[in-house]
Amino acid sequence: MSWSRQTSLQRIRSFRATAPAATINLRNFDQGFVVARHAANQTKMKHGGKSEPLIFDVPPDAAILLDGVHVYIQMLDFGDAMIERERETEASHRRVLSMLHLNYTACDQVAEEFEAQRVDFHGSRMHAVIISPPGAENAKERAARALAFADAAKRAIEEVGRTTENGRYSTRIRVGVDSGSAVAVNSGSKDEREPLFLGAPANYAAKLAEGDEDGIFMSNQVRRDLGVQEIVSHDILYSERHTAAPTVGTGFATNLSYLAKRLSDADITKAAMSAKSRFVLDVGTDASFSFHRHTPPLKSIDFSLLMPSNSIRMGLVSIFGDVDGFTKYVDECIAQGRIGEMVSNLHVIRSELAATLSDDFDGRKVRFIGDCVHGLLAAGTAFETDASASVVAAVKAAGGIRSSFELCKQELDGIGGLGIAIGLEFGETPITRIGIRGDRSVRCSVSRAVSKSEELQRDCTGEQTALGPTALGHAPIGVRSLFEDGVAWNLDASSVVEHLSAPPTVKSGDVSATAAPYSSGER
């Protein structure tokens, strides 16, 4: 497993040739688009097919410019469900996967009531968007429906958690809501569709969903759309993140456009019961999640074969690589009419990052979350994971990803100011598919290692790579010396190879440069 500048350069140029900026088909989301989409759905359903969202399966060479309201739904007690007596075990992973399956289903059930499009589920978060009716004149209608959807999803998750398995999967819910212009694209493959809404509203809604207090937190833009009082503060984000929308029974209920769309308690109970019934059919109990090891390399994992009864659980390294500064770049491209350039560049960057992970280092991409790639790597045998070798492989992959990204910056226009932030952590991690059956099911890999690697990436700048404490504990001396306080600057493929090829310098108090194969033994 190694990175080659020539191979990466050839791939980048090939990817760019398949999606040149000048040939990106940009469409506006307007009433004509909606009418045509509804007609296509009706025709499909007449022939036995299923209805699809208004924005779905966008070709790689296309993009759709639209205004919408973005909703991020966060399960606050998700982390506690992963832990049993201070450890992650098969039992705790079964419990958290069951919790996610149940709540994903409840969210999807409610989304259908509001024509809310589910963009993605990622661990404890759901991203959905309200995009109809189109047009600036309908901003208030969209905002009211988004708020009603957020309220209904929160209540449905709380109800289904309360009534299933004696509250075993209960969780508090926090929701972030923002509105504005975005560009819808899809750079996933045919069997792994990855719709993506690029622009500030999705990122800002996600930031509003971060926090420890439950409730619905909306931006000033949503307040303007609704015609309610805005927040005035020197730190708007901080104030918005600490000001929950009033609930029914307080002054906010006087907003009739929201109240008219609020689901009744009977409708919430019906949605919760439907989600519970589907959960019982698909999962039944935690025991329905059956785990096995996957023999490395993880590149050979076929997500289409995974389901609750056929899930993977093993020691591995989780890696997140996020393009730093991309949201600002997207906003500039939208404002300056450079959307074709942006979509083409995103296609190349995502394709190259995925290829580096899988083709060069035998890793498995789980998904893209916006401009961030989440991947998994492991080394070892059919019987056990070699933790030390896995960490070394992951660090090499991180170096290759940064080198590939630097080549992208050389070859592509307009992205010279971007960086890439990378986080890695090792731990026992399940891998499966959950939620609605079929092509709308969700690739899922959740664990403390996954959460920690994402947190590390989020705390990094575009020049940094961070290695989590567990990974550092398994790393040989040569790798540990690369990371000062767990962070390395500008760690690319050549610097990793050069450093690991040099004789190790043993410092006083250092442990052995090698580590034993990893086997959790937890049940």
Side-chain angles (χ1 to χ4, degrees):
M1 298 183 295
S2 62
W3 183 82
S4 162
R5 186 181 190 280
Q6 181 179 0
T7 299
S8 179
L9 192 60
Q10 289 175 343
R11 283 194 308 237
I12 290 169
R13 290 173 176 173
S14 176
F15 292 141
R16 187 179 189 183
T18 61
T23 61
I24 297 296
N25 178 23
L26 178 64
R27 297 189 60 184
N28 287 313
F29 185 79
D30 52 23
Q31 192 58 39
F33 186 103
V34 173
V35 170
R37 195 75 179 102
H38 279 311
N41 262 334
Q42 290 175 359
T43 300
K44 185 173 183 179
M45 292 173 70
K46 285 180 181 178
H47 292 85
K50 295 180 180 179
S51 178
E52 294 176 345
L54 291 174
I55 303 293
F56 189 73
D57 207 16
V58 180
D61 62 349
I64 302 169
L65 181 62
L66 49 80
D67 289 322
V69 187
H70 293 258
V71 180
Y72 263 84
I73 301 169
Q74 175 82 21
M75 303 172 205
L76 295 181
D77 301 314
F78 163 79
D80 292 341
M82 287 194 292
I83 309 302
E84 181 174 315
R85 298 185 183 92
E86 302 301 320
R87 300 185 308 159
E88 285 179 287
T89 64
E90 282 194 7
S92 66
H93 281 156
R94 287 191 179 103
R95 182 169 64 254
V96 75
L97 290 173
S98 295
M99 174 185 180
L100 293 179
H101 189 99
L102 176 67
N103 291 331
Y104 285 2
T105 304
C107 285
D108 277 336
Q109 199 72 34
V110 172
E112 294 176 2
E113 299 289 333
F114 293 90
E115 205 176 58
Q117 176 161 344
R118 183 245 285 176
V119 180
D120 192 21
F121 285 116
H122 170 54
S124 60
R125 303 193 299 271
M126 176 195 191
H127 175 203
V129 61
I130 301 284
I131 55 177
S132 63
E137 69 278 10
N138 292 310
K140 183 175 183 178
E141 163 71 15
R142 290 192 299 269
R145 192 145 49 86
L147 208 62
F149 162 65
D151 169 77
K154 181 177 184 296
R155 291 159 61 208
I157 292 173
E158 291 167 345
E159 176 65 13
V160 77
R162 182 184 68 81
T163 58
T164 306
E165 293 289 319
N166 296 316
R168 180 177 174 82
Y169 309 120
S170 294
T171 178
R172 295 168 300 134
I173 300 297
R174 181 183 174 101
V175 186
V177 187
D178 190 28
S179 69
S181 297
V183 177
V185 299
N186 177 11
S187 62
S189 60
K190 184 177 180 181
D191 62 339
E192 293 186 358
R193 294 183 177 95
E194 292 185 325
L196 172 63
F197 288 75
L198 296 165
N203 280 13
Y204 202 76
K207 290 180 180 178
L208 292 175
E210 295 175 359
D212 298 325
E213 181 185 356
D214 65 348
I216 299 171
F217 298 79
M218 56 181 174
S219 69
N220 267 346
Q221 181 58 56
V222 175
R223 293 173 185 272
R224 285 190 286 271
D225 292 343
L226 290 169
V228 299
Q229 185 175 357
E230 296 178 38
I231 295 173
V232 179
S233 171
H234 293 296
D235 189 340
I236 293 297
L237 176 59
Y238 177 87
S239 298
E240 289 173 344
R241 287 177 64 179
H242 290 80
T243 307
T247 56
V248 169
T250 63
F252 192 62
T254 60
N255 186 335
L256 296 180
S257 62
Y258 154 73
L259 189 60
K261 294 172 172 53
R262 192 175 196 261
L263 288 187
S264 67
D265 290 341
D267 288 332
I268 291 296
T269 300
K270 181 181 178 181
M273 290 300 295
S274 179
K276 181 178 178 179
S277 296
R278 186 177 295 172
F279 170 79
V280 170
L281 178 64
D282 291 346
V283 178
T285 66
D286 293 355
S288 294
F289 279 93
S290 179
F291 297 120
H292 66 275
R293 282 185 54 81
H294 182 87
T295 304
L298 302 190
K299 176 182 179 179
S300 57
I301 291 175
D302 185 347
F303 273 102
S304 69
L305 301 179
L306 299 183
M307 62 189 75
S309 61
N310 184 39
S311 300
I312 297 167
R313 182 177 183 268
M314 59 189 293
L316 53 78
V317 178
S318 169
I319 178 169
F320 279 84
D322 181 66
V323 180
D324 186 46
F326 197 78
T327 298
K328 180 181 178 182
Y329 168 69
V330 170
D331 291 343
E332 290 174 352
C333 287
I334 292 175
Q336 298 170 12
R338 296 158 48 207
I339 293 176
E341 171 201 303
M342 180 266 292
V343 174
S344 177
N345 286 347
L346 179 69
H347 168 77
V348 176
I349 292 169
R350 290 178 107 188
S351 298
E352 176 57 18
L353 295 186
T356 303
L357 178 68
S358 61
D359 296 349
D360 297 344
F361 296 97
D362 287 342
R364 183 60 166 103
K365 182 199 76 178
V366 179
R367 59 155 51 82
F368 284 106
I369 307 111
D371 50 63
C372 177
V373 62
H374 177 210
L376 309 171
L377 300 96
T381 68
F383 306 103
E384 59 186 359
T385 298
D386 186 329
S388 178
S390 296
V391 172
V392 171
V395 170
K396 288 180 177 178
I401 286 172
R402 187 171 300 281
S403 289
S404 286
F405 184 74
E406 290 300 319
L407 277 184
C408 286
K409 289 169 63 175
Q410 293 177 29
E411 291 292 306
L412 306 177
D413 298 326
I415 64 168
L418 302 183
I420 188 162
I422 303 174
L424 307 96
E425 180 59 303
F426 180 88
E428 194 78 7
T429 300
I431 311 165
T432 190
R433 287 180 78 101
I434 58 177
I436 292 178
R437 294 180 180 183
D439 61 6
R440 292 287 282 160
S441 62
V442 181
R443 282 162 280 151
C444 183
S445 181
V446 292
S447 66
R448 283 197 286 188
V450 171
S451 297
K452 185 62 176 180
S453 57
E454 184 176 22
E455 176 189 327
L456 290 167
Q457 160 262 300
R458 195 162 48 236
D459 292 340
C460 283
T461 68
E463 297 81 33
Q464 293 178 322
T465 301
L467 196 60
T470 304
L472 276 170
H474 287 294
I477 292 173
V479 168
R480 288 201 304 277
S481 61
L482 283 166
F483 293 86
E484 183 176 351
D485 295 325
V487 176
W489 290 78
N490 299 309
L491 186 69
D492 60 11
S494 60
S495 59
V496 173
V497 171
E498 179 181 352
H499 198 87
L500 294 183
S501 298
T505 301
V506 182
K507 298 179 182 180
S508 177
D510 236 333
V511 297
S512 170
T514 61
Y518 170 85
S519 179
S520 72
E522 294 176 347
R523 292 293 182 268

